Amino acid sequence: MNRTLYRFIPLLSAQAPKMTIPAVSMRLPPWHTAQMHYREYPPHPSLAAHVDCVWAAQAPAWAHTHRVLPDNCVDILWQDSGQPGFAVGMMRSAILVASERPVRTLAVRFKPGMAGPFLAMPLHALTDQRAELDLLWGRSAAGRLADALWNSTAPERARLALIERELLRRLRLDSAAGNGNPALVQQALRALEASAGALRVEQLAAQLQVSRQHLAAQFRTHVGLSPKLYARICRFRRATAALGAGAGPDWAQLAQECGYFDQSHLIHDFQEFAGSAPERFHFSN
C-alpha cells in the first residue's frame, strides 16, 4: 500500500512539549471525568465479533487538555466540525488532547486486530497516526454518513446506529470478497490477553507452530503492533487498572502481579506509555 494515498497526521506524544491542538485530531479517552460526558454502548450483535463498543462524548465548553493512554484498539471518530470522520490507529505511547470548544464525538472502537475489514489497509500504516475517512472510504460515502450524523436531531444512540449500519454494509462486502482476519492472529491475541501480556513471544510462536518472524509479520498487517509490544501494553493496562482500584500501592508487588520482571521494568513501561513515572501517574489521576 502506498502511504501517500492517505493524509496521515502524527499523534502528539505525551512526552512532547505540551501544546494546543485541534480537538478533531484525536480520539477521546475511554473514561468519565468531571468535565466530560462519555458513554459506551454495546454494538449491534452482528458486529460483536469485530467491535468492542460504540461510544459518544462531549468535551466541556472551556479549554482543557487530557491524556489518552495506549489501549491496543483502533477507533473511528466523527466530530461535529463539519468534516468527515477519521480513523486513529494503535498507539505506542500516550497522547495529549487539547480542546478549546465543546466538541461532540460519536465513535466506534474495534476489538484488537479486528479493524482491518472496515479500513482496507494494513494496520501498521496507521500506527500512531490518523487517516481521514473520506480517503479511506471515498468522499461521497464518508460525507453522506457525516451529514446524516450531525444533521439529525435523533437521540445519541440512534445516531450511533447509523454508524453501525454502515459498518454492517462494509462487513458484508468484505465477507463477500472472501477477506477476513487470519485465525492465527486471533488465536495469538486471545493467548496474549488471557495471560495479560505475560506470555513470551517465543512460547506463543511455539504454541502456534509458526516462526517468530511469521507471527510478527501477521501482527504488523492485522494488528498494527509487534506481538512483543502488544504484550507490553497488555501488562501496562493491567497495571493502570490495578492502580485505579486501590491507593498506596506496593510498587514491587504490583510489578510482580502484573507480570514484570522487576520494578525497574514497570517504571520503564510507565515512562514509555504514560510519559511519567508510576508514582507520579498514580497521584495525577
Side-chain angles (χ1 to χ4, degrees):
M1 196 247 344
N2 184 351
R3 287 183 58 166
T4 61
L5 291 175
Y6 303 98
R7 290 196 292 271
F8 286 84
I9 301 176
L11 302 180
L12 176 67
S13 168
Q15 295 177 326
K18 184 176 177 180
M19 62 181 289
T20 300
I21 52 180
V24 295
S25 67
M26 303 297 175
R27 68 179 160 202
L28 294 172
W31 56 79
H32 289 279
T33 70
Q35 299 85 19
M36 181 181 297
H37 161 74
Y38 177 84
R39 184 171 181 182
E40 294 181 358
Y41 300 88
H44 186 285
S46 297
L47 291 170
H50 295 79
V51 172
D52 182 58
C53 67
V54 289
W55 57 272
Q58 181 162 349
W62 56 89
H64 74 290
T65 301
H66 59 264
R67 174 173 50 186
V68 183
L69 302 176
D71 58 5
N72 277 343
C73 293
V74 173
D75 290 52
I76 302 178
L77 297 82
W78 291 262
Q79 294 180 323
D80 60 344
S81 59
Q83 301 295 322
F86 57 92
V88 178
M90 298 285 268
M91 293 160 42
R92 292 179 290 193
S93 61
I95 58 174
L96 296 176
V97 181
S99 177
E100 294 184 340
R101 65 178 184 85
V103 62
R104 292 185 297 162
T105 302
L106 299 171
V108 54
R109 177 169 302 119
F110 297 100
K111 292 182 176 179
M114 300 306 291
F118 306 94
L119 299 178
M121 62 183 295
L123 291 188
H124 68 81
L126 196 55
T127 300
D128 290 330
Q129 316 242 9
R130 56 161 275 198
E132 297 179 15
L133 210 54
D134 59 342
L135 295 180
L136 295 175
W137 286 4
R139 188 177 299 275
S140 177
R144 280 198 306 270
L145 180 55
D147 288 344
L149 291 175
W150 300 118
N151 290 335
S152 171
T153 58
E156 181 176 274
R157 186 63 184 90
R159 285 189 282 179
L160 289 167
L162 297 176
I163 296 173
E164 292 176 309
R165 186 170 65 187
E166 177 63 19
L167 294 177
L168 285 167
R169 187 182 73 84
R170 292 185 174 275
L171 185 59
R172 286 193 294 268
L173 291 174
D174 185 79
S175 299
N179 299 324
N181 215 15
L184 171 70
V185 174
Q186 289 307 305
Q187 291 175 32
L189 289 169
R190 286 194 295 269
L192 289 174
E193 290 286 347
S195 72
L199 181 63
R200 295 179 61 85
V201 176
E202 295 87 348
Q203 294 174 292
L204 177 61
Q207 287 180 14
L208 298 173
Q209 298 182 322
V210 297
S211 69
R212 289 182 58 188
Q213 292 78 9
H214 179 72
L215 184 62
Q218 292 295 304
F219 262 65
R220 176 177 167 83
T221 299
H222 299 287
V223 179
L225 300 175
S226 69
K228 182 176 181 179
L229 183 54
Y230 184 92
R232 286 179 60 203
I233 294 174
C234 286
R235 290 196 298 270
F236 169 73
R237 292 174 61 206
R238 182 179 180 184
T240 57
L243 286 178
D250 179 325
W251 297 109
Q253 181 179 351
L254 178 68
Q256 182 180 26
E257 291 177 349
C258 294
Y260 287 96
F261 181 74
D262 56 26
Q263 188 174 337
S264 66
H265 284 76
L266 172 74
I267 294 171
H268 177 271
D269 274 7
F270 267 81
Q271 290 173 333
E272 180 171 341
F273 297 139
S276 69
E279 187 171 3
R280 180 180 178 187
F281 173 87
H282 177 55
F283 288 109
S284 65
N285 285 275

